[in-house]
Amino acid sequence: MTLTDIIIYTAIAGGLWTALVVFFWQKSKQILITFLQSFCGALFIFSGWVKAVDPLGTAYKMEQYFGEFKVTFSQTSLKGMADVFPFFAEYAIVFAVIMIVLEIVLGIMLLFGIFHKLTAWTFFLLILFFTFLTGFTYLTGYVPEGVNFFSFSKWGDYVETNMKVTDCGCFGDFIKLKPKVSFLKDIFLLVPAVLFIFFNKSLYSLFSNSTRNSILIFSLAGFTFYSFSNFVWDLPHIDFRPFKIGNNLREMKKSEKEAAAAVKIVAYKMTNLKSGRIVEVPFDTYMVEYAKYPTSAWKLEQIKSEPAIEKTKVSDFEVADIDGNDKTEEILNYPGFSFMIIAYKLKESVVNTTKIQKDSLFRKDSLLVGKNYQYVNVFDKIEEKLIPVKKYSWEENYLESWKTNLLPVMNPLVKQNIKIFAITKYTDKQMINDFKEKTGADFPIYVADDILLKTIVRSNPGVVLLKDGIVVANWHIRKLPEAEELMTMFGLNK
């Protein structure tokens, strides 16, 4: 589905609701405002719902934004603001749920005409906030590597790879929009947002005050509970991610890699270094006329065809052991069942301290052996010195989730020679070994990119069952069945 499809379906839904308002309830005051009110209400409910399905996805996206804002503001005169963003990142899930529920409830308030003036101003401010985010995302494409966003004079040509946040997450994982498209969408939505403020008396209202207030209260409570249910107690009940059940990760990775390799150069975009004039020349023409565009006078940029298969996070599935040995093919090509435990964050705190180490020191001395002298090492003294060490402390609740919910299920399966491994983001061998010792995990722990791990399963830890590269099942840590149930369910005891 594309943004055009969403707009068409939303327009149809808005049109039908408008017809009910006009002809059935007879509440319309101005037909254009009525349609825009219905359209924006339906769009906000839909865009909020696809994010409410997976609030953690929105929280991870907000963490990316907060991280970029910290870096951006720390290099300006407003560097004092940079310190607030790590705090915001720590509570990203709270902000995500608030934003998601606000978006859905605001859509409902528009559809039913609840608190006109409050709704109009809240809608405007939220669209303004979204426009800022999508605008920042898109405009960073003009900011070269090493240049601060606010150094406008140093901006260059638009380069997609300059963007640190490549997707605004407007529709969660349901659909990925190009940043430019997202930005233009929000610019468009500013039009009805402004109209609602100036013509808020023309907004319709349905039903009585008490009915509308009841709808508002139940919507607020219901969608808050719904959002929490999709990450606190269970996985998202609808999975829009590429690691969903049934997907063959091995084949997807292979196909996406082949599609990326098959991309061709279709043209060259060239910028004259002296005049700034931009010329776009088809590839075949350039191969004949390349002498006209020497690199000393022209900056060349390749324009490539779109890959036949769109790249997903499956292409980034790369796993190694703590010694750096690649384990990707071994995991994806394993023919039997294997349990993959995803723990992108082990929730540790590290204290750098020192300890006393005693070393025995020796000195050279001569010893007469027969008629000859030989040099031997003779004990001199014991020297004490301080050496740096790391001490790890682990969040008790997190350790408890491993000891109570995970390991009682996994360790019996290990004894049945069923392949089990965990993946985390850390490359510190000492840290991983300390964690294994504290939990009693009797299986290897590998490492991978944390954004990849967050995409695979929305639980920390979470469990994914693979067979011959195919995702067979996945579980939130709170919903993991007992070992015997798993063995019966998938025939692991045969």
Side-chain angles (χ1 to χ4, degrees):
M1 182 173 284
T2 65
L3 179 61
T4 302
D5 296 327
I6 292 175
I7 291 174
I8 291 172
Y9 290 133
T10 305
I12 292 172
L16 292 173
W17 191 258
T18 299
L20 288 172
V21 173
V22 174
F23 299 109
F24 183 73
W25 288 303
Q26 298 182 354
K27 295 290 185 179
S28 176
K29 298 178 182 179
Q30 191 173 335
I31 190 68
L32 176 61
I33 297 297
T34 297
F35 173 74
L36 290 176
Q37 185 178 349
S38 302
F39 172 82
C40 292
L43 181 64
F44 260 45
I45 290 173
F46 177 75
S47 63
W49 174 76
V50 293
K51 291 195 285 286
V53 167
D54 181 16
L56 275 180
T58 300
Y60 295 149
K61 184 62 62 178
M62 294 183 78
E63 285 179 2
Q64 284 184 273
Y65 273 116
F66 293 144
E68 287 306 311
F69 292 155
K70 179 182 183 299
V71 173
T72 299
F73 282 97
S74 66
Q75 299 169 353
T76 69
S77 58
L78 300 174
K79 58 184 179 182
M81 291 180 59
D83 296 333
V84 305
F85 293 112
F87 170 79
F88 288 161
E90 187 176 349
Y91 294 96
I93 185 59
V94 176
F95 291 114
V97 171
I98 291 173
M99 187 184 71
I100 289 167
V101 174
L102 175 62
E103 188 173 355
I104 297 174
V105 170
L106 194 55
I108 292 171
M109 292 172 73
L110 282 168
L111 281 186
F112 291 95
I114 304 172
F115 301 131
H116 291 171
K117 187 172 289 188
L118 175 64
T119 299
W121 276 103
T122 306
F123 182 80
F124 172 74
L125 292 174
L126 193 58
I127 291 297
L128 205 61
F129 173 70
F130 288 158
T131 304
F132 169 75
L133 289 184
T134 56
F136 174 81
T137 304
Y138 167 58
L139 294 175
T140 52
Y142 292 95
V143 184
E145 187 70 31
V147 175
N148 186 269
F149 180 83
F150 293 107
S151 300
F152 303 119
S153 62
K154 297 181 181 179
W155 285 19
D157 295 331
Y158 178 80
V159 179
E160 189 170 339
T161 53
N162 284 344
M163 294 183 295
K164 302 297 188 295
V165 182
T166 55
D167 166 48
C168 68
C170 301
F171 293 95
D173 284 297
F174 177 75
I175 178 176
K176 300 287 187 181
L177 300 181
K178 293 283 187 180
K180 183 177 181 179
V181 175
S182 297
F183 181 49
L184 293 177
K185 168 185 68 69
D186 291 328
I187 291 291
F188 167 78
L189 288 175
L190 280 173
V191 175
V194 172
L195 290 175
F196 292 158
I197 290 176
F198 284 100
F199 297 96
N200 67 83
K201 291 183 179 179
S202 296
L203 299 175
Y204 65 80
S205 291
L206 303 178
F207 314 128
S208 65
N209 282 334
S210 59
T211 301
R212 291 197 300 270
N213 290 339
S214 297
I215 291 172
L216 180 60
I217 292 170
F218 281 111
S219 299
L220 186 62
F223 282 105
T224 300
F225 176 81
Y226 177 73
S227 296
F228 278 104
S229 70
N230 283 313
F231 72 95
V232 175
W233 305 293
D234 206 348
L235 299 179
H237 85 276
I238 299 177
D239 195 348
F240 298 125
R241 288 164 293 119
F243 293 89
K244 63 184 178 181
I245 295 172
N247 280 5
N248 189 322
L249 305 184
R250 181 180 65 247
E251 293 303 319
M252 287 178 66
K253 184 177 173 68
K254 178 183 176 183
S255 298
E256 290 175 17
K257 185 176 181 180
E258 290 174 349
V263 167
K264 296 180 179 179
I265 301 172
V266 296
Y268 280 95
K269 178 183 176 182
M270 292 169 291
T271 305
N272 188 285
L273 297 177
K274 185 176 181 180
S275 66
R277 184 168 67 97
I278 298 175
V279 178
E280 188 172 311
V281 180
F283 176 77
D284 293 336
T285 304
Y286 174 80
M287 295 306 293
V288 175
E289 302 178 350
Y290 68 90
K292 295 181 179 180
Y293 307 101
T295 55
S296 59
W298 296 84
K299 175 186 175 184
L300 273 66
E301 179 185 342
Q302 295 177 345
I303 300 177
K304 297 182 179 180
S305 63
E306 292 293 325
I309 300 174
E310 187 177 355
K311 179 184 175 182
T312 69
K313 266 295 174 183
V314 174
S315 291
D316 299 329
F317 187 85
E318 301 288 343
V319 182
D321 63 19
I322 55 178
D323 294 315
N325 302 307
D326 183 67
K327 293 291 181 179
T328 308
E329 294 303 315
E330 177 184 321
I331 292 170
L332 296 180
N333 290 303
Y334 187 72
F337 285 103
S338 62
F339 286 89
M340 179 170 65
I341 301 165
I342 302 297
Y344 83 91
K345 187 175 183 181
L346 300 179
K347 298 191 177 181
E348 83 298 335
S349 59
V350 183
V351 177
N352 292 311
T353 183
T354 58
K355 71 175 183 179
I356 296 175
Q357 179 174 295
K358 295 181 178 181
D359 287 336
S360 297
L361 300 182
F362 295 83
R363 58 181 175 82
K364 292 285 187 179
D365 199 358
S366 57
L367 178 66
L368 181 62
V369 180
K371 296 181 178 180
N372 300 314
Y373 284 95
Q374 295 182 356
Y375 288 100
V376 295
N377 291 322
V378 178
F379 176 77
D380 185 22
K381 61 180 179 179
I382 293 178
E383 181 181 73
E384 294 183 348
K385 63 180 180 179
L386 295 176
I387 61 170
V389 294
K390 291 181 179 179
K391 286 190 176 181
Y392 305 96
S393 59
W394 309 93
E395 186 180 297
E396 284 301 323
N397 289 338
Y398 189 69
L399 286 184
E400 192 63 25
S401 69
W402 276 69
K403 294 177 180 179
T404 303
N405 300 99
L406 184 65
L407 296 181
V409 178
M410 293 293 109
N411 284 344
L413 298 178
V414 171
K415 294 177 181 178
Q416 296 293 325
N417 294 320
I418 296 170
K419 184 178 179 66
I420 296 175
F421 57 93
I423 312 178
T424 186
K425 70 175 182 178
Y426 302 98
T427 56
D428 186 335
K429 184 185 294 188
Q430 183 182 344
M431 177 187 289
I432 291 176
N433 288 335
D434 189 86
F435 182 79
K436 290 180 69 174
E437 181 182 340
K438 291 292 192 304
T439 57
D442 192 21
F443 42 78
I445 297 181
Y446 301 146
V447 295
D449 175 67
D450 65 323
I451 296 178
L452 168 70
L453 299 180
K454 291 175 182 178
T455 307
I456 293 175
V457 64
R458 301 300 201 204
S459 178
N460 182 34
V463 179
V464 178
L465 179 60
L466 298 174
K467 188 177 190 299
D468 198 24
I470 299 172
V471 179
V472 177
N474 50 30
W475 296 274
H476 190 281
I477 187 61
R478 295 178 184 271
K479 294 290 185 177
L480 186 62
E482 296 293 332
E484 292 183 1
E485 185 179 349
L486 286 173
M487 294 179 73
T488 302
M489 190 184 308
F490 299 103
L492 302 177
N493 49 1
K494 293 180 180 180

